[in-house]
Amino acid sequence: MNPLIPLGPSLAAACAGLIAYGAVHPRSQLFGPTLCRTNFPRKLAITFDDGPNPALTPKLLDLLDKHNARATFFLIGKYVRECPDVVRETVARGHLIANHTDTHPNLFWLSPGAIRAELQRCHDAIGAIVGSPPKWFRPPYGFRNPWVVKTAAELSMRTVMWTLLPGDWKPRPLESLIASLQPIALNAEQNLSNPKATGDVLCLHDGGHRVLNADRTNTFKALEHWLPRWRDAGLEFVTIEEAVRTAAA
Ligand SMILES: [Zn+2]
């Protein structure tokens, strides 16, 4: 009897575990380098996925303006073509526009050619409206495989993940969403005096990938609650580009 045979299933399970980690863990670098943190504890990068959303994004832009906040919007290409005015307005208010694929598939299961097509179509849709292609990309659901980050890099985009994903798309009481954003303030309290600390990248959703005009009222209300408090805690709200402009001390 081959003594290695019993190792087969456990080795396969270990490999499967490693692949799962590389594919979904936000800070895994297994399938290529990704940006997960800002360079300075004072800089909070608030990011929004799955827009543009005519039902929320314009209101959200007003709220961000009120608090002098700049953010990064990872857009779905098919919505960009449907709502070009919302995209133009987002850029005009000083926010950063980024690529979140054309139709929001799980890229883990797609071939290199299909991944390229998804990224390229969104790239082109944004470029046609903004005048220049996006430099930042986030994979839907955070799923990567060996080709995703590489394909984004070939299109001159860096891949962005997050430090906090509070699950604002889930139906739940507002109080629960507000509570799940508490780590941002706690991290600020602990890290602001440490020059070697990094800052958070927060992943929220102003849209919904299944339908345009998704209800994201709770996301809006949670930010209404937290933005002034985060400001009082000493945080600045910056785009991903600004978050990495200066090297960490
Ligand atoms: Zn998404």
Side-chain angles (χ1 to χ4, degrees):
M1 184 181 163
N2 185 337
L4 291 178
I5 286 174
L7 288 178
S10 57
L11 188 62
C15 288
L18 185 64
I19 289 168
Y21 166 78
V24 302
H25 192 279
R27 290 181 288 290
S28 158
Q29 305 291 297
L30 185 65
F31 292 144
T34 61
L35 180 89
C36 310
R37 299 178 171 89
T38 77
N39 65 346
F40 213 68
R42 188 173 298 283
K43 292 182 179 179
L44 169 63
I46 304 174
T47 66
F48 297 99
D49 289 2
D50 297 357
N53 179 2
L56 184 80
T57 313
K59 262 177 74 180
L60 182 59
L61 295 178
D62 288 343
L63 178 68
L64 293 171
D65 268 355
K66 189 174 154 192
H67 295 282
N68 194 26
R70 296 294 165 266
T72 307
F73 290 79
F74 291 87
L75 306 182
I76 297 175
K78 65 178 179 181
Y79 293 164
V80 170
R81 288 187 293 275
E82 283 190 59
C83 315
D85 290 343
V86 180
V87 180
R88 279 189 206 100
E89 187 61 23
T90 306
V91 174
R93 304 279 190 104
H95 303 289
L96 186 64
I97 297 297
N99 185 321
H100 195 45
T101 74
D102 204 57
T103 64
H104 206 278
N106 180 346
L107 298 176
F108 182 79
W109 303 108
L110 297 193
S111 68
I115 291 169
R116 173 91 188 190
E118 273 289 338
L119 271 59
Q120 184 77 56
R121 276 199 292 269
C122 181
H123 206 64
D124 294 345
I126 290 173
I129 291 167
V130 176
S132 58
K135 296 192 179 103
W136 306 90
F137 163 72
R138 176 176 282 152
Y141 318 102
F143 274 112
R144 288 148 288 159
N145 66 17
W147 300 284
V148 171
V149 174
K150 183 171 172 284
T151 305
E154 285 165 4
L155 290 166
S156 302
M157 294 189 291
R158 285 180 69 183
T159 299
V160 182
M161 300 298 285
W162 55 78
T163 56
L164 188 68
L165 180 72
D168 59 329
W169 67 89
K170 297 175 196 162
R172 63 202 279 205
L174 173 62
E175 294 70 29
S176 158
L177 177 58
I178 287 176
S180 68
L181 288 162
Q182 185 78 46
I184 300 285
L186 293 175
N187 289 347
E189 199 177 299
Q190 284 173 8
N191 295 334
L192 273 181
S193 55
N194 175 5
K196 291 195 173 162
T198 54
D200 279 302
V201 175
L202 170 62
C203 179
L204 293 172
H205 294 74
D206 64 329
H209 68 89
R210 287 194 181 86
V211 59
L212 200 62
N213 291 309
D215 181 3
R216 291 285 175 257
T217 307
N218 272 0
T219 301
F220 182 86
K221 287 187 174 168
L223 277 175
E224 260 187 329
H225 173 90
W226 276 115
L227 282 171
R229 288 167 175 81
W230 288 336
R231 170 76 63 199
D232 288 349
L235 290 170
E236 297 166 22
F237 313 120
V238 302
T239 65
I240 283 291
E241 203 155 280
E242 200 184 330
V244 298
R245 198 169 285 155
T246 312

